[in-house]
Amino acid sequence: MKAVIGVDGSKYSEWALGWLGEMPFRMAPRVTAIHAMDLQSVRASFIVQPVVSGYEPDEGEAIHIVESRAKQVEAETKRRLVKLGLKGSVRVVQDKIAQALIEQAGQKGLIVVGSRGLGAIDRFMLGSVSTTVTLYASCPVLIVKEPPQPLRRMLVATDGSPSSKKALQFLVKQLAVNPKIKPLVILLVHVMPFLRYTMVKEAGEQLLAQEAAKLEKVGYRVRQFPCVGPAAEEIMKVVNREQPDLIVTGAKGQSAVTRFLQGSVSMKLVQQSACSVLVVR
């Protein structure tokens, strides 16, 4: 699998790279680390910023600072790739970082980004990059919010939609499970609407049982959480109570009737959770 990661020298991008080293992939991914120099934004800042008294760096000096930082990030990222035992390369591009990540990953890669970057002044990860990539990428996106740690417990949100099925397939096909050495627990959550029909409850329980069986077959330990209510709210209740290391969710769910993972539920999980989130397409 190809993994494309945004690097900017911030602690969040360092954590993101560390997560690639910790994730129990069946096959180690080939990593492409991308650092973006947004020189157009640097130039634009000199047009819109008012001049104040005192020392003011000129445009050429600001660009030199950006280019120097890029060399430092490139060298440090190469060193960390070796230390983590990851094979790959580092690219420095003159582009918007979100666009560069999306184009490089395509439909079959995995994009890994820190939830934040260095801030607007440094112009590297530009704040909303994780949101932009999550919304527009055609492949799975891992948004890293915490330092890397061994995965023990993953919360998986499911509704039986094609998107959530892809999330389950990612766990089955991409991650290696060895319950004797490193047991992995899946907190499998299914949220049902406020409909007083026995068939709705039965269908939800049947879905959980079927998908739990698939995960257990490859070695995961599964705990089932049937819930009723607003999807994002109910999932976050389980997250806050169980404290998983990672949330795994599909990018979209079924129709508004099913009410689970509809519209922006995956984005709500990204925005509200304190732990890292994997959004699968």
Side-chain angles (χ1 to χ4, degrees):
M1 181 178 62
K2 174 174 63 175
V4 181
I5 181 170
V7 292
D8 68 349
S10 70
K11 69 177 182 180
Y12 289 93
S13 71
E14 290 179 2
W15 292 351
L17 194 56
W19 267 76
L20 277 178
E22 283 286 354
M23 291 281 285
F25 293 108
R26 287 184 178 272
M27 296 183 62
R30 181 74 182 181
V31 180
T32 300
I34 297 180
H35 177 77
M37 298 189 302
D38 189 4
L39 299 183
Q40 291 183 351
S41 294
V42 172
R43 294 188 177 99
S45 67
F46 284 88
I47 297 176
V48 300
Q49 293 293 333
V51 176
V52 297
S53 60
Y55 173 72
E56 295 291 336
D58 60 22
E59 178 183 329
E61 183 177 352
I63 291 175
H64 175 71
I65 292 172
V66 170
E67 292 174 339
S68 297
R69 177 65 66 86
K71 291 179 180 179
Q72 294 174 4
V73 172
E74 181 181 13
E76 177 62 18
T77 303
K78 288 180 178 179
R79 185 190 68 79
R80 294 204 66 221
L81 284 172
V82 173
K83 184 177 181 180
L84 292 169
L86 296 171
K87 294 183 179 180
S89 59
V90 184
R91 295 182 55 198
V92 177
V93 300
Q94 294 186 21
D95 199 354
K96 300 285 187 181
I97 181 61
Q99 181 178 345
L101 293 172
I102 292 170
E103 291 179 354
Q104 181 67 34
Q107 296 183 344
K108 297 183 178 180
L110 168 67
I111 297 177
V112 184
V113 290
S115 58
R116 296 182 181 180
L118 284 171
I121 295 178
D122 295 284
R123 296 287 184 180
F124 292 115
M125 290 297 280
L126 301 183
S128 63
V129 169
S130 59
T131 300
T132 302
V133 172
T134 303
L135 286 172
Y136 297 108
S138 301
C139 64
V141 178
L142 173 61
I143 302 96
V144 173
K145 299 188 176 188
E146 299 175 301
Q149 57 188 329
L151 280 182
R152 300 296 185 188
R153 293 150 58 85
M154 292 184 286
L155 184 144
V156 180
T158 182
D159 67 348
S161 68
S163 183
S164 67
K165 288 180 180 179
K166 288 182 180 179
L168 290 174
Q169 289 174 0
F170 186 97
L171 296 176
V172 171
K173 295 182 178 180
Q174 299 295 344
L175 301 187
V177 185
N178 191 333
K180 294 182 179 180
I181 299 176
K182 185 181 179 181
L184 282 171
V185 177
I186 298 290
L187 311 173
L188 190 62
V189 182
H190 174 61
V191 182
M192 293 168 280
F194 285 113
L195 295 176
R196 294 183 179 179
Y197 296 114
T198 304
M199 65 182 69
V200 174
K201 180 181 178 182
E202 291 178 348
E205 292 175 347
Q206 183 178 11
L207 172 65
L208 278 174
Q210 290 174 347
E211 297 193 340
K214 294 177 183 177
L215 292 166
E216 288 170 344
K217 186 177 181 179
V218 298
Y220 289 106
R221 298 179 183 177
V222 183
R223 293 173 56 195
Q224 300 178 33
F225 293 83
C227 304
V228 177
E233 181 179 329
E234 292 301 317
I235 295 170
M236 284 305 304
K237 286 180 182 178
V238 181
V239 170
N240 295 331
R241 184 170 67 248
E242 299 293 332
Q243 298 294 305
D245 304 313
L246 177 68
I247 297 173
V248 182
T249 178
K252 293 181 180 179
Q254 294 181 340
S255 66
V257 176
T258 62
R259 299 188 63 193
F260 180 74
L261 290 185
Q262 59 186 4
S264 62
V265 171
S266 57
M267 283 305 306
K268 289 179 181 177
L269 297 179
V270 171
Q271 293 165 355
Q272 296 176 15
S273 67
C275 67
S276 300
V277 181
L278 173 63
V279 180
V280 181
R281 284 180 172 82

